[in-house]
Every structure is written in structure tokens, then in C-alpha cells.
Amino acid sequence: MFGAKVTRLQDGSDGERNGVGSVRRLNVGPLPPFEETVTEFERPSRIVYRITKGSPLRGHVGVMTFAPDGRGGTRFHYDIRLASPIPGLAAIVRASLTRSVDKGLATVEREA
């Protein structure tokens, strides 16, 4: 959804592929790779992850929740919190993520 190359490094320690302890490496364009680790997993409704390696972002937490929408589909809510000690970087990343998420979700909706 973000135009990133994703490599699974480790499945969750709870027996779930995307469960607690699951680690993924993401490569986004020319930027250095970074790793995300799942910290909470509640099938089928919630995934929480943090960037744990290789990023200038600090305090990054992503929370994805999934719920029935009442029409046979799924309501998806994605909350991402981040900060950076580099002035302006968090705002740039936020704008880029917002564009990528909007574009990716439009593609999912169109192809569903």
C-alpha cells in the first residue's frame, strides 16, 4: 500500500504470521531500510506495531483496527503517531504517508 518492498524477517512468537513479535523490513525508494515489529495482535480486529530499527523517526506507533461495516465489508481505521528529532521530517513523512494510504485504499476499494 505504501510502495514499499516488504521482507518478512520473523513470524510472530504467538504462532501467528503477523502476530506479536512479527518483524518486517521495509525499503521505501532510495531511503535506508527500517524494521517494524508487531507489539499487539488481536485477530481479526487489531494490529499495533512500532518502528524498532533503522529510522530517524521516534515514537512511531501504528494502530490498525478492522470492524464490520454493516454492509458486508470492513471498516479500516489506521492511526499512525510519529515524531522526529530532525526538524520538519515528521511533517514530510506524515504528508507522504497520507497520500500513500489514500491512494492505496482507493486501489483496494476499486479492485474489491
Side-chain angles (χ1 to χ4, degrees), residues 29-76:
L31 301 174
F34 61 94
E35 294 179 11
E36 296 178 339
T37 302
V38 174
T39 59
E40 294 178 41
F41 180 78
E42 298 171 25
R43 179 185 283 275
S45 59
R46 180 177 165 94
I47 299 172
V48 179
Y49 67 90
R50 302 180 75 81
I51 291 180
T52 51
K53 185 176 181 182
S55 173
L57 299 174
R58 299 292 176 255
H60 179 281
V61 178
V63 180
M64 297 182 281
T65 56
F66 308 86
D69 71 357
R71 300 174 307 200
T74 301
R75 178 174 301 278
F76 174 58

Side-chain angles (χ1 to χ4, degrees), residues 1-2 76 78 80 96-106:
M1 185 161 68
F2 302 112
F76 174 58
Y78 196 5
I80 302 173
S96 177
L97 284 173
T98 299
R99 279 192 306 276
S100 294
V101 168
D102 288 347
K103 183 177 177 183
L105 289 176

